[in-house]
Amino acid sequence: MRMVDLIAKKRDGKELTTEEINFFIGGYTKGEIPDYQVSAMGMAIFFKDMTDRERADLTMAMVNSGETIDLSAIEGIKVDKHSTGGVGDTTTLVLAPLVAALDIPVAKMSGRGLGHTGGTIDKLESIEGFHVEISKDEFVNLVNKHKIAVIGQTGNLTPADKKLYALRDVTATVDSIPLIASSIMSKKIAAGSDAIVLDVKTGAGAFMKTVEDARELAHAMVSIGNNVGRKTMAVISDMSQPLGVAIGNSLEVQEAIDTLRGEGPKDLEELCLALGRQMVFLANKAESLEEAEEKLKEVMRNGKALEKFKEFIANQGGDASVVDNPEKLPQAKYKIDLPALEDGMVAELVADEIGTAAMLLGAGRATKESEIDLAVGLMLNKKIGDTVKKGDSLVTIHANRENVDDVKEKLYANIRISDHAEAPVLVHDIVTE
Ligand code: URA
Ligand code: CA
């Protein structure tokens, strides 16, 4: 088999066989096929697309390019949740204990964040003593006994995706549905869960700027998952403005605690319930999505979800008393309000730019090596559709430096006040096949 023939075949819009896809991904992973040929193939795929079968084969070829995680020692149906990225997205911190409180195993492998704010691990590490450096055996035991554990990324998962993603980044082939869908799904499948719930974001803070594009990506990923034997569902949700009110590591832990108590921001609660009910349903713990949602609300009301969060923190060496004494979380030295300059309604809160403002304070990493400041971030006092009077605080800036003029400028440039505005629809669609 020759790579040049496969490139020509795809260039002419024909369908690649399973063997051909395995040859291309296998050869690329081993360094036998050079970047320039794979670049040409990426561009051919970008223009000619792939069939559902090719997409599933590409995904599995990337899964098989490296190690995979075996979760079979964990009892029950393991359901993973994945979000396609967002700003101030606190859903994982809420969903993990919420779902575990219903005896659904949450075996989470997580990474550190790059960009806007930290990843789930960074957020959890704002709790004194909490750590994710646990052995594989300890991880499995914790999930079997307590239904919840988080471990740091281990092993060489999907090396083909790492190489291909880096190449796509410099050859203008990132924005291709078959390539994005197979990239994301390969990582989820390699991580070993039985079922997957996807949160596909749309809007300014997301990869997919329109609902139509997000729907197409969601269908592509759900189809790949179902074709390779992992039950998969997707929610399409709004990321035109940040989710919830907190952006920043310890601020989001606090927000998650409030939400588990049923006292969190309404949009965050709504999305957690929309994703959570699919997780409960896929785990076979409810007959219908409605019943699943009822069960989730029940553990929020009766305190079991919050108890599960405490148990989880203590199991991994953390100080669980932060749940009742949130002032023990890292606190920023300065809290500075951003006053509205006019009367009106909030019409825009550009998600990715607001995320960048939080990064300027030190809440996220510019490079993999950067240190992050767990205490700093932003609290949104107004969201799209809210009425404001001149002088009202739009945002409270939690900073460890006194002068935050750069942050204020960024925020003013990305918060638009107008005569009339309506809150955006949060959940646009549910995709099941
Ligand atoms: N995120 C990924 O992991 N892969 C892509 O291709 C795009 C976004
Ligand atoms: Ca948030």
Side-chain angles (χ1 to χ4, degrees):
M1 215 179 279
R2 294 193 316 158
M3 186 64 185
V4 62
D5 299 326
L6 306 192
I7 298 169
K9 193 174 179 188
K10 183 43 73 182
R11 178 202 64 198
D12 296 340
K14 302 207 178 84
E15 188 174 345
L16 299 175
T17 66
T18 307
E19 293 70 35
E20 287 166 341
I21 289 170
N22 287 341
F23 170 81
F24 138 53
I25 293 297
Y28 187 47
T29 310
K30 282 183 252 152
E32 292 164 8
I33 297 174
D35 278 349
Y36 54 83
Q37 286 189 311
V38 177
S39 310
M41 178 62 94
M43 194 57 85
I45 294 171
F46 180 95
F47 282 113
K48 299 295 172 165
D49 206 343
M50 285 182 127
T51 63
D52 282 349
R53 202 220 86 245
E54 285 178 296
R55 293 171 181 194
D57 283 345
L58 176 60
T59 305
M60 289 315 292
M62 294 203 288
V63 169
N64 294 325
S65 71
E67 291 170 40
T68 56
I69 309 283
D70 179 6
L71 296 178
S72 58
I74 294 170
E75 300 135 29
I77 301 174
K78 280 78 68 183
V79 188
D80 200 1
K81 185 225 59 155
H82 177 78
S83 146
T84 62
V87 178
D89 186 348
T90 319
T91 52
T92 301
L93 286 181
V94 177
L95 281 169
L98 186 58
V99 169
L102 290 173
D103 279 338
I104 295 166
V106 176
K108 190 104 195 129
M109 175 179 280
S110 229
R112 287 174 201 282
L114 192 59
H116 304 123
T117 56
T120 299
I121 292 185
D122 300 303
K123 293 174 193 176
L124 287 166
E125 281 177 352
S126 50
I127 299 166
E128 177 82 46
F130 189 96
H131 65 96
V132 295
E133 290 80 17
I134 55 177
S135 72
K136 186 84 193 304
D137 284 347
E138 202 178 341
F139 177 63
V140 168
N141 290 340
L142 282 175
V143 182
N144 276 333
K145 186 146 176 238
H146 300 276
K147 300 297 168 196
I148 181 168
V150 174
I151 188 170
Q153 220 117 50
T154 57
N156 180 27
L157 301 186
T158 61
D161 173 64
K162 282 196 193 80
K163 274 185 96 168
L164 192 56
Y165 196 18
L167 186 67
R168 287 164 54 211
D169 207 19
V170 294
T171 55
T173 46
V174 168
D175 293 318
S176 154
I177 297 272
L179 294 177
I180 298 175
S182 57
S183 168
I184 294 174
M185 290 304 286
S186 68
K187 285 174 279 215
K188 286 290 112 184
I189 290 162
S193 56
D194 304 307
I196 301 160
V197 173
L198 299 162
D199 178 13
V200 181
K201 309 283 195 188
T202 174
F207 248 97
M208 297 289 139
K209 305 292 177 206
T210 68
V211 177
E212 287 65 41
D213 287 349
R215 192 176 283 126
E216 204 186 332
L217 179 62
H219 274 290
M221 292 194 289
V222 168
S223 157
I224 289 171
N226 291 333
N227 279 333
V228 304
R230 312 284 171 116
K231 283 192 283 180
T232 306
M233 293 173 122
V235 169
I236 296 171
S237 72
D238 177 67
M239 204 16 98
S240 58
Q241 63 179 338
L243 187 63
V245 297
I247 305 160
N249 299 284
S250 66
L251 296 174
E252 288 184 53
V253 170
Q254 168 77 66
E255 182 175 52
I257 294 166
D258 294 342
T259 306
L260 287 167
R261 263 202 189 98
E263 294 165 3
K266 284 302 142 209
D267 61 341
L268 177 59
E269 177 178 308
E270 182 186 340
L271 185 57
C272 287
L273 289 171
L275 293 165
R277 62 191 208 146
Q278 297 204 21
M279 295 173 79
V280 174
F281 181 68
L282 288 180
N284 279 342
K285 295 277 183 184
E287 301 286 325
S288 66
L289 290 171
E290 292 69 32
E291 187 195 343
E293 179 155 339
E294 246 341 285
K295 289 190 164 180
L296 291 166
K297 287 183 172 158
E298 173 74 24
V299 289
M300 283 169 83
R301 271 194 303 264
N302 66 19
K304 281 195 179 151
L306 207 59
E307 279 309 310
K308 187 55 80 178
F309 193 45
K310 289 184 191 169
E311 191 181 322
F312 163 54
I313 294 169
N315 286 342
Q316 297 200 218
D319 175 7
S321 73
V322 298
V323 172
D324 297 314
N325 305 281
E327 67 285 353
K328 288 188 178 175
L329 288 164
Q331 305 286 322
K333 228 188 273 170
Y334 304 98
K335 297 188 177 73
I336 302 156
D337 283 308
L338 183 84
L341 302 176
E342 60 193 315
D343 291 354
M345 291 176 93
V346 178
E348 260 188 290
L349 272 168
V350 184
D352 47 351
E353 296 291 337
I354 308 271
T356 305
M359 270 203 64
L360 293 175
L361 292 164
R365 284 188 187 81
T367 69
K368 272 191 205 155
E369 286 72 36
S370 335
E371 284 275 319
I372 59 179
D373 185 337
L374 296 167
V376 302
L378 303 169
M379 291 297 290
L380 306 178
N381 300 318
K382 302 283 177 185
K383 302 231 7 196
I384 297 177
D386 288 349
T387 303
V388 295
K389 290 247 163 294
K390 184 176 173 181
D392 281 354
S393 175
L394 295 170
V395 179
T396 306
I397 302 166
H398 290 237
N400 274 329
R401 54 179 158 99
E402 203 167 356
N403 184 329
V404 291
D405 289 349
D406 56 334
V407 177
K408 287 185 165 177
E409 195 184 321
K410 183 109 201 139
L411 290 172
Y412 276 130
N414 290 288
I415 302 176
R416 192 167 60 83
I417 311 274
S418 130
D419 291 341
H420 185 75
E422 269 170 51
V425 172
L426 179 65
V427 173
H428 290 286
D429 207 353
I430 308 286
V431 175
T432 57
E433 63 184 276

